[in-house]
């Protein structure tokens, strides 16, 4: 596996692959890789001839006072995991190389970015969309692979590739979970023992909400109020940041749960913010 930090060198390798007819996959990450990332790399290995992994803690998607400085980093461990997963090239640029002096172009999808995580993290998705657009231009992949835990991110990235005509398929894959249901996240390491014990309530609650829907309760307001009350009992250390039932594509809030609906939630445990979601449709 090659490790490349120079964007121009990474671009040469990836464009060469693509121009020689190879099917290529890009897995963009912020590093501190876990089994969830490994599942994305594995899918890349299965679906493509060449797999590129980017590891970049993107400063522009963190707001003031967020965890950019303390975001967990372990380049050595990331390289070992990437090598074991059969990655061909790991791209590890410096912030100054991705945002050189004079950088002034931003990609924004405001309609999809205004609610859910975008409501409590203004500017976050502009940073995500910009860096992913740049990574797509640098690597020109046949496909880029992301986890469905970040459902809103995925919806935004699908929209942007379609709108700007990037020749890449955006692939979203199921969330990988701990045995107790907690979605894997690099941020889980921030949780204290007591917080970790209560954190599975987020997914447990979403599954409960799905059961209530399957039992015939379909009013979104009553469902979310019921779940808020349940979470207050089950996870007193947690505080719900948002809990909404939305259309899975447009992300607009729904009054009633119909054929296709997504329950999406964010919960804070101390300074740690966890997100999760669940499709409520019968097929989900
Ligand atoms: O999901 C992430 O880890 C990041 O938002 C991404 C897509 C790598 C962009 O920095």
């Amino acid at each position: 596996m090659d490790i490349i930090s120079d964007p121009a060198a990474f671009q040469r390798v990836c464009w060469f692959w693509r121009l020689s007819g190879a099917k290529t996959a890009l897995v963009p990450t912020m590093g501190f890789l876990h089994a969830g990332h490994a599942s994305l790399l594995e899918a890349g290995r299965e679906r493509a001839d060449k797999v590129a992994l980017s590891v970049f803690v993107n400063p522009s998607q963190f707001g003031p006072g967020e965890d950019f400085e303390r975001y967990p980093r372990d380049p050595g461990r990331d390289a070992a995991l990437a090598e074991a997963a059969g990655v061909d090239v790991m791209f590890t640029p410096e912030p100054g190389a991705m945002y050189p002096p004079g950088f002034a172009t931003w990609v924004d999808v405001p309609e999809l970015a205004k609610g859910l995580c975008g409501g409590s993290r203004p500017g976050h998705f502009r940073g995500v969309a910009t860096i992913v657009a740049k990574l797509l231009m640098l690597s020109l992949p046949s496909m880029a692979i992301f986890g469905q835990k970040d459902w809103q991110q995925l919806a935004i990235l699908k929209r942007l590739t379609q709108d700007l005509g990037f020749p890449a398929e955006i692939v979203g894959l199921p969330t990988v979970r701990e045995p107790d249901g907690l979605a894997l996240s690099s941020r889980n390491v921030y949780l204290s023992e007591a917080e970790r014990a209560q954190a599975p309530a987020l997914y447990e609650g979403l599954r409960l909400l799905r059961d209530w829907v399957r039992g015939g309760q379909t009013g979104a307001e009553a469902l979310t109020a019921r779940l808020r009350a349940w979470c207050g009992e089950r996870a007193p250390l947690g505080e719900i940041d948002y809990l909404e039932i939305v259309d899975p594509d447009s992300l607009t809030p729904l009054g009633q749960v119909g054929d296709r609906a997504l329950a999406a939630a964010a919960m804070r445990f101390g300074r740690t913010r966890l997100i999760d979601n669940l499709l409520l449709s019968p097929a989900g």
Side-chain angles (χ1 to χ4, degrees):
M1 181 182 77
D2 291 324
I3 300 180
I4 297 178
S5 58
D6 173 32
F10 177 60
Q11 185 172 48
R12 274 196 298 277
V13 171
C14 295
W15 284 36
F16 174 77
W17 289 342
R18 191 73 195 267
L19 295 172
S20 356
K23 198 166 194 190
T24 62
L26 171 71
V27 179
T29 76
M30 298 207 299
F32 208 66
L33 303 178
H34 50 64
H37 298 114
S39 79
L40 306 182
L41 295 170
E42 204 175 298
R45 213 32 311 152
E46 278 166 16
R47 296 170 190 219
D49 307 311
K50 296 285 183 189
V51 179
L53 161 74
S54 63
V55 172
F56 180 59
V57 184
N58 172 34
S60 74
Q61 70 187 74
F62 291 81
E66 288 190 355
D67 57 344
F68 173 67
E69 299 296 342
R70 69 182 186 121
Y71 194 84
R73 293 160 169 89
D74 192 340
R77 199 172 62 104
D78 287 348
L81 190 146
E83 178 103 58
V87 167
D88 295 287
V89 165
M90 177 166 151
F91 178 47
T92 57
E94 292 298 324
M98 295 303 267
Y99 297 102
F103 185 95
T105 302
W106 297 96
V107 182
D108 206 358
V109 190
E111 204 45 41
L112 288 175
K114 67 184 181 197
L116 305 177
C117 287
S120 30
R121 303 187 70 189
H124 167 68
F125 288 116
R126 187 178 87 138
V128 170
T130 302
I131 201 65
V132 172
K134 184 151 183 166
L135 289 166
L136 290 174
M137 272 314 293
L138 283 175
S139 60
L140 221 61
S142 317
M143 69 192 82
I145 307 178
F146 302 86
Q148 287 173 346
K149 177 170 72 70
D150 300 284
W151 187 281
Q152 187 175 16
Q153 166 171 287
L154 202 52
I156 288 170
L157 297 176
K158 282 181 182 162
R159 188 74 255 164
L160 106 79
T161 40
Q162 201 175 321
D163 289 352
L164 298 183
F166 282 105
E169 181 195 357
I170 300 295
V171 177
L173 295 181
T175 303
V176 177
R177 300 180 179 282
E178 298 282 4
D180 62 9
L182 178 65
L184 294 192
S185 162
S186 305
R187 290 189 166 99
N188 290 351
V189 295
Y190 297 152
L191 296 168
S192 70
E193 205 175 311
E195 290 165 347
R196 174 64 188 83
Q198 294 185 16
L202 180 54
Y203 185 54
E204 221 174 292
L206 291 171
R207 286 204 328 271
L208 206 53
L209 190 142
R210 188 178 60 185
D211 290 345
W212 297 335
V213 168
R214 289 179 174 171
Q217 192 180 349
T218 56
E221 207 175 313
L223 281 163
T224 52
R226 190 174 172 191
L227 187 54
R228 279 175 184 277
W230 180 88
C231 281
E233 298 269 312
R234 166 68 179 84
L237 293 176
E239 193 193 326
I240 291 182
D241 180 25
Y242 67 78
L243 166 61
E244 284 195 48
I245 297 178
V246 298
D247 177 276
D249 304 312
S250 69
L251 307 182
T252 45
L254 297 173
Q256 291 288 325
V257 179
D259 277 352
R260 257 173 75 71
L262 181 85
M267 228 173 154
R268 286 183 200 282
F269 286 88
R271 289 169 65 202
T272 310
R273 188 172 168 283
L274 304 179
I275 60 172
D276 211 336
N277 61 74
L278 189 64
L279 278 173
L280 300 178
S281 56

